[in-house]
């Protein structure tokens, strides 16, 4: 999976989970809480859906650092890469 | 209550112990690995209780709240009465539809059991916060339904301010007699330390009960009575476009009888009276409280119909039941899609409280349309708001609709599977 493919899948999933009408507006610097209106529960739901979508298990220390869409992409990329290394 | 240690292809679960401030040496404002004093009795109890809680991950939870065991005609009637469902597809055995026989509303599963199981974790409150249901088969009259629940794990909130709370995950199944799923659901709930929950009592700035004016109520009632389901007129997928709005379903103002009727039709908890109640509370003292007005012993479930119970829980007024609200959402969708459609998925997050006297407006918009053969798949984003415009629920749903000229196509797909 290329970075572009991963980001495209994440945009669709994140928009769907957080109720964002236009997924293309999910730029890396979009703040999920302040700009997209996500609550703590929404952010947890997003983490669970990202785990299911990409077959990864994100630990607490990692998802606590997610503030922006770019943070989420970096987090998922890291876990996907680790999974591929161990495959 | 553990039944067995089995796995069912569930998702990986988080199994870490929660943060507990008392584990840290913060006397000088820093956290470090200073020698800890011997744990107190309370700390040892906490460790033990949490170890038991964690050990249940992956296990079946005992379904002690089962109500209906089958979609009998009377059970369907009572359930429909409890949610205000008047669609002839679900009410009239002689109603003609592509399905060929009487069905129960998809939300009937909540009258078998609510999906969410309140499992023991002493000192922690639990709030059911979401259900993501996949409907695999229609439920026809006479169908026996077997419930199942599995505790799949928990996660901490990604916010230091939320220490002392976590999100719990469960998976529910409603099976036929052969063990095949009629519906499955992923559910989540928030567990909050009781002390924290009391501190965080809900302070609504608006006036409760809502000060409705007679003219407003007249308009509302007229609007409610004017609403009609799509019914026998097939809604074809070609008639649906991205951006379309679904007709709004209005429920309320929520009255105490609405809550009682839901309890009669779906019985989300098992309520007992007199000596049986006292015996039950002797074993579970945290599930009761003493009514400040009548001095009677009441269940904590009374938060849904008893002002004293609501006040005791830090709430300004009694409030609705999460699955009850989910049933209204299912009704809004089935009213829109008509008899020829099938509700395949219905996710809802309960994002706000609905108090007695509130009105809920349930609506949706189409976000995706696809066609495969004679069956279309329509994605819908749903939202429910109260009379003040505050969101109380939102979610995502998927509906199957026939293509034009093939009204029975969706029903035929399920009949082919059953053949």
């Amino acid at each position: 999976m290329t970075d572009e493919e991963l980001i495209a899948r994440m945009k669709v999933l994140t928009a769907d989970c957080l109720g964002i009408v236009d997924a293309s507006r999910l730029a890396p610097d979009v703040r999920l809480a302040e700009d997209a209106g996500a609550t703590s529960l929404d952010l947890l739901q997003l983490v669970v859906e990202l785990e299911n979508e990409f077959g990864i298990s994100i630990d607490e220390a990692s998802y606590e650092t997610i503030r922006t869409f770019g943070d989420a992409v970096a987090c998922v990329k890291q876990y996907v890469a680790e999974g591929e290394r161990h495959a | 209550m553990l039944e067995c240690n089995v796995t069912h292809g569930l998702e990986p679960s988080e199994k870490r112990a929660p943060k507990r401030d008392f584990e840290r040496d913060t006397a000088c404002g820093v956290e470090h690995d200073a020698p800890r004093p011997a744990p107190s009795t309370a700390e040892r109890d906490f460790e033990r209780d949490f170890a038991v809680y964690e050990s249940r991950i992956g296990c079946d939870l005992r379904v002690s709240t089962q109500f209906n065991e089958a979609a009998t005609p009377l059970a369907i009637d009572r359930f429909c009465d409890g949610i205000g469902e008047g669609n002839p597809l679900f009410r009239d055995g002689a109603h003609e539809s592509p399905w060929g026989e009487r069905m129960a509303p998809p939300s009937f599963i909540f009258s078998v059991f609510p999906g969410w199981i309140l499992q023991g974790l002493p000192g922690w409150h639990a709030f059911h916060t979401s259900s993501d249901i996949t409907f695999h088969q229609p439920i026809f009259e006479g169908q026996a339904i077997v419930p199942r629940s599995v505790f799949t794990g928990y996660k901490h909130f990604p916010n230091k301010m939320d220490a002392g709370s976590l999100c719990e995950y469960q998976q529910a199944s409603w099976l036929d007699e052969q063990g095949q799923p009629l519906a499955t659901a992923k559910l989540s709930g928030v567990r909050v330390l009781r002390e924290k929950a009391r501190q965080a009592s809900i302070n609504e700035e608006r006036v409760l009960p809502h000060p409705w004016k007679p003219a407003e109520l007249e308009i509302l009632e007229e609007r409610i009575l004017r609403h009609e389901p799509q019914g026998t007129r097939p809604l074809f997928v070609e008639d649906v476009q991205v951006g379309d709005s679904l007709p709004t379903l209005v429920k309320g103002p929520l009255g105490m009888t609405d809550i009682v009727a839901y309890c009669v039709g779906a019985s989300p908890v098992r309520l007992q009276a007199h000596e049986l109640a006292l015996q039950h509370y002797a074993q579970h003292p945290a599930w009761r409280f003493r009514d400040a007005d009548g001095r009677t012993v009441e269940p904590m479930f009374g938060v849904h119909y008893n002002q004293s119970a609501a006040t005791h829980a830090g709430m300004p007024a009694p409030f609705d039941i999460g699955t009850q609200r989910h049933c209204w959402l299912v009704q809004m969708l089935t009213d829109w899609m008509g008899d020829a459609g099938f509700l395949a998925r219905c996710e809802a997050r309960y994002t706000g409280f609905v108090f007695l006297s509130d009105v809920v407006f349930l609506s949706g918009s189409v976000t995706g349309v696809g066609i495969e053969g004679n069956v279309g798949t329509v994605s819908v984003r749903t939202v429910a708001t109260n009379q003040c415009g505050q969101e109380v629920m939102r979610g995502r749903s998927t509906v199957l609709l026939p293509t034009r000229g093939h009204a029975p196509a969706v029903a035929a797909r399920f009949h082919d599977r059953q053949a």
Side-chain angles (χ1 to χ4, degrees):
Chain A
M1 181 171 33
T2 65
D3 283 1
E4 289 74 22
E5 289 168 338
L6 182 141
I7 292 169
R9 280 170 67 181
M10 280 194 65
K11 280 188 176 181
V12 171
L13 187 146
T14 304
D16 190 44
C17 182
L18 303 184
I20 298 166
V21 175
D22 184 0
S24 66
R25 296 180 65 180
L26 274 170
D29 60 346
V30 168
R31 296 169 300 176
L32 299 175
E34 295 87 345
D35 301 332
T39 64
S40 300
L41 264 179
D42 291 330
L43 292 173
L44 266 191
Q45 180 73 25
L46 178 61
V47 168
V48 170
E49 295 193 13
L50 289 170
E51 289 181 338
N52 293 341
E53 175 76 9
F54 294 101
I56 56 179
S57 181
I58 303 173
D59 67 29
E60 183 186 349
S62 299
Y63 67 65
E64 278 204 334
T65 64
I66 296 174
R67 297 283 181 277
T68 65
F69 179 67
D71 294 338
V73 170
C75 178
V76 169
K77 276 171 69 174
Q78 176 196 334
Y79 276 88
V80 168
E82 283 177 11
E84 287 171 350
R85 272 201 299 275
H86 294 115
Chain B
M1 182 70 69
L2 300 184
E3 292 191 352
C4 61
N5 188 10
V6 292
T7 56
H8 308 283
L10 303 172
E11 298 150 19
S13 302
E14 297 295 312
K15 295 190 177 183
R16 291 178 300 279
K19 286 190 188 67
R20 291 181 290 275
D21 288 342
F22 59 70
E23 280 191 345
R24 300 171 182 157
D25 180 357
T26 55
C28 56
V30 294
E31 296 177 17
H32 55 81
D33 294 325
R36 294 179 56 205
S40 67
T41 303
E43 288 171 350
R44 282 198 300 273
D45 288 348
F46 185 98
E47 299 280 356
R48 183 200 60 209
D49 292 340
F50 217 90
V52 171
Y53 177 75
E54 286 193 310
S55 72
R56 297 187 197 121
I57 293 173
C59 289
D60 278 33
L61 299 171
R62 184 165 58 91
V63 181
S64 60
T65 51
Q66 180 167 7
F67 181 48
N68 285 319
E69 296 179 320
T72 65
L74 191 59
I76 298 173
D77 276 340
R78 292 285 181 270
F79 176 73
C80 289
D81 288 347
I83 60 171
E85 173 64 82
N87 191 335
L89 180 65
F90 310 127
R91 306 291 318 222
D92 180 2
H95 180 74
E96 289 190 10
S97 80
W99 301 94
E101 53 188 304
R102 187 189 183 189
M103 310 168 77
S107 54
F108 182 82
I109 57 170
F110 286 134
S111 76
V112 176
F113 90 118
W116 175 257
I117 298 286
L118 177 58
Q119 61 167 323
L121 181 58
W124 292 68
H125 268 309
F127 304 93
H128 177 201
T129 51
S130 74
S131 298
D132 187 354
I133 310 168
T134 300
F135 296 100
H136 302 277
Q137 293 286 335
I139 299 171
F140 294 110
E141 185 180 288
Q143 175 71 58
I145 305 174
V146 179
R148 185 174 185 197
S149 168
V150 178
F151 175 31
T152 53
Y154 68 87
K155 280 187 185 295
H156 300 296
F157 279 89
N159 182 345
K160 300 286 186 189
M161 295 298 287
D162 288 323
S165 54
L166 54 88
C167 198
E168 178 177 318
Y169 300 99
Q170 300 178 9
Q171 184 162 301
S173 305
W174 294 264
L175 310 170
D176 66 14
E177 290 161 302
Q178 285 74 46
Q180 296 302 308
L182 297 162
T184 51
K186 296 174 183 172
L187 305 106
S188 66
V190 174
R191 306 291 307 236
V192 187
L193 275 171
R194 188 161 288 136
E195 289 171 19
K196 182 183 169 78
R198 287 204 179 107
Q199 290 164 5
S201 58
I202 305 295
N203 294 313
E204 282 281 333
E205 291 183 359
R206 61 200 176 95
V207 176
L208 287 169
H210 186 81
W212 291 104
K213 295 174 182 162
E216 293 173 330
L217 293 171
E218 200 173 311
I219 292 169
L220 270 173
E221 288 174 12
E222 191 274 330
R223 183 174 177 182
I224 290 168
L225 291 171
R226 200 175 59 227
H227 178 87
E228 283 188 0
Q230 179 80 11
T232 54
R233 293 169 291 127
L235 178 66
F236 297 114
V237 68
E238 292 89 346
D239 298 328
V240 176
Q241 292 183 324
V242 171
D244 283 357
S245 295
L246 279 60
T248 300
L249 179 69
V250 183
K251 293 287 185 180
L254 186 69
M256 203 172 299
T257 303
D258 297 318
I259 302 285
V260 172
Y262 184 72
C263 290
V264 169
S267 190
V269 296
R270 184 177 177 181
L271 295 175
Q272 293 173 302
H274 309 304
E275 57 268 48
L276 292 182
L278 293 177
Q279 289 163 7
H280 179 69
Y281 296 141
Q283 293 179 327
H284 304 284
W287 293 5
R288 56 165 269 180
F289 78 102
R290 179 76 63 184
D291 187 307
D293 300 322
R295 306 306 301 156
T296 52
V297 176
E298 300 285 349
M300 289 307 298
F301 182 75
V303 293
H304 298 295
Y305 51 79
N306 179 315
Q307 179 61 55
S308 183
T311 303
H312 183 80
M315 305 297 287
F319 51 96
D320 71 340
I321 301 160
T323 50
Q324 175 186 28
R325 201 185 307 170
H326 207 141
C327 292
W328 304 336
L329 172 62
V330 169
Q331 183 183 351
M332 187 273 287
L333 291 160
T334 54
D335 278 358
W336 168 70
M337 72 188 191
D339 294 359
F342 179 78
L343 180 61
R345 180 197 181 196
C346 186
E347 183 227 19
R349 292 179 225 171
Y350 318 127
T351 54
F353 286 95
V354 174
F355 297 104
L356 290 190
S357 81
D358 280 349
V359 169
V360 179
F361 300 86
L362 301 110
S363 60
S365 59
V366 174
T367 57
V369 180
I371 298 178
E372 189 179 332
N374 293 328
V375 174
T377 301
V378 180
S379 302
V380 177
R381 181 164 294 286
T382 61
V383 65
T385 55
N386 65 17
Q387 68 277 3
C388 301
Q390 297 166 326
E391 180 192 284
V392 295
M393 179 171 63
R394 72 187 128 102
R396 296 161 283 181
S397 290
T398 306
V399 169
L400 305 184
L401 294 177
T403 54
R404 191 178 305 283
H406 301 91
V410 175
R413 175 182 283 193
F414 290 95
H415 286 139
D416 290 347
R417 279 190 208 160
Q418 290 170 340

